[in-house]
Amino acid sequence: MTHRFIVEVDKISKNFGPVQALDEFQLKIEPGLFGIIGPNGAGKTTLLRILLGLIQPSSGSARVLDMDISQSKNIRERIGVLLENPTLPKAMGAREYLSQVIKIYGSNTDPDELLELVGLQDATNRQIGHLSAGMRQRLGIALAFAGNPELIILDEPTSNLDVSGREQMLDLLSHLYHKSRVSIIIASHILSELERVCTHVAFMNRGKTVVQGTTNDIIEKYAMDRYRIRCSDAHTLSQQLDGIVGIEDIRVLGPNIFSLRYEESIDSIELQVRQEAESCKVQIHRLEKTATLEDAFREVIQ
Amino acid sequence: MRQKLAQLMAQFQIEMRMSYRFPVIEGLAALIFLTPISAAVAIWSAVSFRPDALEYFIFAEFGFSGKHLGTCMFGFTQWLSIIVAVLVSFTAAKSFEDGYIQTLLTYPVERVTVLLMKIICVVIIPAGLMTSTYLFAILFVIPQAPLFGHVSIMLLGVWISILLFATLSMLVAVITQKVSATAIFGLAFGFVTPLLLSNPVIPNIVRVALHPFDAAYIYLANLSPNMMLDTELTQLIDLQIGFGISLMISLVLLAITLWLFTRSEIGG
């Protein structure tokens, strides 16, 4: 079934005692690969738990696949979920557990096919407790696909993985999306990852949607005039450049890297920066015009 | 219908593999089975010096039957509430604490079914083991012919006690969502309430309602041989009413637990 919106959230608020996790949060998600981005504590996980019926909103309403969230079981029949650091029965074999979950969904999916799809064909009989973190996440993805879902919700799918594990997970998600065309919602605070895989994103901060749109539009709108400079002493050079006409919003990202906004051409800024670097004896390694989701996020959140 | 059954079976199998993996059931079975055997050995040792030992064992006219039926298992009653609380800690509180309940509730399962599955396992496993041990004891360890009524009283006491302890512990598990709190509650209930209930001021029905198995044992242990006294008839009526009240309390606790669980926030 095709839906205009797979998720519609209307003015949802959620309080945990004095803490307001969501504040009249609104969001409409079209089918596709969608990223929900926000810093830790922004309310991403709270939002997903509300959509899954694990917790109740204090006020507001939401619909998933045209069903009100009060019909939690009906929603869960049609979606697949991978929570952040999911707990799975350690004593059960990967295939054994997947088979039981497929039965719970009442689906006719072949567990071996699913395990092969996520690259776990060699670990089918291994106990879940003996799988590596990356393999457990892969099994989590297989479990999310167990019921032939129309929508998959992933909460921080790469949170406990190393760099190569993250790469593999993102490749897998991208591959599965293009193969199955099942809509996927990924909540994460790692912007570079979402930029790589998501066509649409929403920025969340302090329980509210700050910006929503296609990844490219958001980068275009909020981060096109940014330059990133790699040098021998980012702190000194950034101080030197501070106050120069046209240069705005300098952000030191590390001891050897900082970024700034400059609306003129790259040649013009390169000249300026090199002059200032020479005067304070800082060596420039690289100067490039960058436009990342991270830059856009910083711009928007500021 | 068939699909629903397959779903329930899948949930049951996951529950068994999660909570009752080796050596939980095996250890429990060994513990329960050892109790009548050790009790029987003590009984045999105590009476074997008598010249009429064989008759003592074979004939029930000495009032031996009911008393020893109870003695056989009584050593276990004090542990019953603790064992049930520990099982509830394993099955329910632990899945709250380690987050598996959250994973489970992302699948298309009803919360009521999830909790009922856990309660059924917690009741059936120890009660089934105790029943089979009890019957085993009657057949092999104390070779007598106990009255059917006595057997019924003891078994009812076992099942109602376990149901009461299970629903009570499950309520604690759902409210606190903590393994330690559930286990501590079991310990407290197992050791403190019998002391409180031993106060003679407390009506007998209350005693029966809160510790049905103990009450069943005490009733059987104090039976007079071959005849029923008026006081024993009153005790029997108390026992029957107390069992009924205990059952009602269990059902009310179960309803409250299910109601709370369906409204509780998971991982919030």
Side-chain angles (χ1 to χ4, degrees):
Chain A
M1 193 190 290
T2 54
H3 305 272
R4 174 82 177 87
F5 295 109
I6 48 173
V7 171
E8 292 170 83
V9 181
D10 186 25
K11 290 187 177 174
I12 274 196
S13 295
K14 178 66 185 174
N15 301 315
F16 294 108
V19 179
Q20 183 146 38
L22 292 176
D23 181 12
E24 299 208 334
F25 183 84
Q26 300 206 64
L27 184 68
K28 286 186 176 180
I29 302 177
E30 290 176 28
L33 228 163
F34 191 91
I36 299 175
I37 301 169
N40 288 327
K44 305 182 294 293
T45 302
T46 302
L47 172 68
L48 298 188
R49 284 183 179 149
I50 287 174
L51 297 180
L52 295 170
L54 293 172
I55 56 176
Q56 299 296 317
S58 307
S59 63
S61 64
R63 298 178 72 79
V64 178
L65 301 173
D66 285 337
M67 287 177 283
D68 189 85
I69 49 169
S70 59
Q71 300 171 270
S72 169
K73 185 174 173 261
N74 295 339
I75 291 173
R76 283 180 279 132
E77 277 171 0
R78 290 167 56 188
I79 66 172
V81 182
L82 173 62
L83 296 173
E84 184 180 7
N85 300 325
T87 307
L88 300 172
K90 290 179 183 151
M92 288 183 84
R95 188 188 185 284
E96 183 191 9
Y97 183 61
L98 181 59
S99 303
Q100 299 299 352
V101 172
I102 287 171
K103 282 183 198 162
I104 289 176
Y105 275 100
S107 142
N108 54 4
T109 318
D110 181 357
D112 293 314
E113 260 179 40
L114 263 184
L115 287 169
E116 196 176 335
L117 195 68
V118 297
L120 284 180
Q121 63 274 19
D122 296 329
T124 51
N125 295 322
R126 211 183 296 177
Q127 283 192 344
I128 294 172
H130 294 160
L131 297 177
S132 68
M135 289 166 107
R136 269 205 297 277
Q137 287 298 87
R138 284 168 175 273
L139 178 62
I141 298 284
L143 290 165
F145 275 88
N148 285 325
E150 293 168 49
L151 165 67
I152 290 190
I153 295 177
L154 309 170
D155 187 11
E156 306 280 4
T158 59
S159 64
N160 54 347
L161 302 181
D162 59 20
V163 177
S164 66
R166 286 179 176 189
E167 291 291 315
Q168 287 172 7
M169 178 57 72
L170 293 175
D171 288 343
L172 175 65
L173 289 176
S174 203
H175 168 71
L176 290 174
Y177 172 67
H178 288 107
K179 190 175 176 189
S180 64
R181 287 285 157 189
V182 171
S183 293
I184 300 178
I185 297 173
I186 306 174
S188 176
H189 64 278
I190 304 172
L191 291 104
S192 56
E193 294 177 353
L194 292 189
E195 184 181 345
R196 225 183 96 181
V197 293
C198 295
T199 53
H200 292 69
V201 291
F203 289 169
M204 269 183 91
N205 195 30
R206 293 178 186 171
K208 281 182 183 280
T209 320
V210 186
V211 155
Q212 184 186 348
T214 69
T215 312
N216 289 338
D217 285 351
I218 289 176
I219 293 172
E220 182 78 27
K221 187 172 176 186
Y222 295 100
M224 282 312 283
D225 299 325
R226 289 207 77 84
Y227 292 86
R228 193 167 282 212
I229 298 151
R230 195 171 280 278
C231 60
S232 58
D233 187 347
H235 192 69
T236 306
L237 185 54
S238 64
Q239 279 185 337
Q240 188 75 19
L241 291 168
D242 197 13
I244 290 178
V245 178
I247 293 178
E248 291 172 359
D249 192 20
I250 298 173
R251 290 183 202 142
V252 179
L253 306 170
N256 302 111
I257 187 165
F258 69 100
S259 74
L260 52 81
R261 198 166 70 200
Y262 189 74
E263 289 182 5
E264 302 300 321
S265 70
I266 190 162
D267 296 338
S268 160
I269 187 169
E270 190 159 8
L271 188 67
Q272 286 256 24
V273 170
R274 288 202 184 280
Q275 277 175 359
E276 295 300 328
E278 211 167 290
S279 69
C280 62
K281 294 187 171 50
V282 173
Q283 199 181 345
I284 302 280
H285 298 301
R286 194 169 184 177
L287 188 152
E288 60 184 351
K289 188 168 188 179
T290 60
T292 64
L293 202 58
E294 196 171 331
D295 293 322
F297 183 73
R298 284 173 191 274
E299 189 71 33
V300 171
I301 295 299
Q302 261 197 351
Chain B
M1 183 66 188
R2 182 176 285 182
Q3 190 185 322
K4 184 80 186 160
L5 202 64
Q7 282 180 340
L8 287 175
M9 280 309 293
Q11 269 181 261
F12 178 72
Q13 287 191 13
I14 293 173
E15 179 66 28
M16 291 303 286
R17 293 298 306 274
M18 280 281 288
S19 307
Y20 297 96
R21 61 177 187 264
F22 181 82
V24 175
I25 293 182
E26 294 79 356
L28 195 58
L31 200 64
I32 294 175
F33 268 74
L34 273 178
T35 309
I37 292 169
S38 57
V41 167
I43 296 162
W44 278 93
S45 307
V47 296
S48 58
F49 65 90
R50 293 169 64 125
D52 59 345
L54 194 61
E55 287 79 8
Y56 191 88
F57 273 106
I58 291 171
F59 300 110
E61 63 257 30
F62 296 99
F64 184 82
S65 174
K67 185 178 288 188
H68 288 94
L69 266 172
T71 307
C72 176
M73 297 302 289
F74 184 66
F76 205 73
T77 56
Q78 286 178 321
W79 299 101
L80 200 59
S81 61
I82 296 158
I83 283 173
V84 170
V86 168
L87 282 181
V88 173
S89 304
F90 266 134
T91 59
K94 188 167 175 285
S95 43
F96 279 111
E97 229 175 67
D98 68 16
Y100 182 68
I101 201 97
Q102 195 171 258
T103 306
L104 190 60
L105 291 177
T106 61
Y107 306 142
V109 294
E110 296 279 5
R111 287 192 183 200
V112 170
T113 317
V114 169
L115 205 68
L116 277 179
M117 186 75 73
K118 288 181 182 295
I119 291 179
I120 287 170
C121 287
V122 167
V123 172
I124 284 181
I125 289 170
L129 280 172
M130 283 197 76
T131 304
S132 55
T133 309
Y134 198 49
L135 298 175
F136 163 82
I138 292 167
L139 284 174
F140 298 105
V141 184
I142 307 172
Q144 302 173 57
L147 295 174
F148 177 75
H150 295 171
V151 176
S152 307
I153 287 171
M154 287 307 293
L155 290 184
L156 263 176
V158 167
W159 282 83
I160 293 174
S161 289
I162 289 177
L163 184 65
L164 178 68
F165 298 156
T167 49
L168 207 51
S169 302
M170 199 62 86
L171 181 62
V172 176
V174 166
I175 291 171
T176 64
Q177 305 193 353
K178 295 271 181 244
V179 172
S180 52
T182 311
I184 288 168
F185 170 80
L187 279 168
F189 193 82
F191 284 111
V192 177
T193 49
L195 290 175
L196 295 176
L197 293 174
S198 65
N199 189 329
V201 180
I202 300 211
N204 196 32
I205 287 181
V206 177
R207 216 169 282 139
V208 179
L210 294 181
H211 274 267
F213 190 47
D214 290 19
Y217 161 70
I218 291 165
Y219 168 75
L220 290 175
N222 295 324
L223 275 181
S224 313
N226 304 325
M227 58 181 292
M228 183 174 267
L229 303 174
D230 287 349
T231 50
E232 288 169 4
L233 186 64
T234 316
Q235 282 176 3
L236 182 63
I237 292 168
D238 281 357
L239 204 62
Q240 289 166 335
I241 296 171
F243 278 2
I245 293 172
S246 191
L247 208 56
M248 293 290 282
I249 294 172
S250 301
L251 293 176
V252 170
L253 288 173
L254 180 64
I256 294 170
T257 309
L258 291 173
W259 184 81
L260 284 175
F261 183 56
T262 50
R263 279 152 186 79
S264 64
E265 307 226 309
I266 308 295

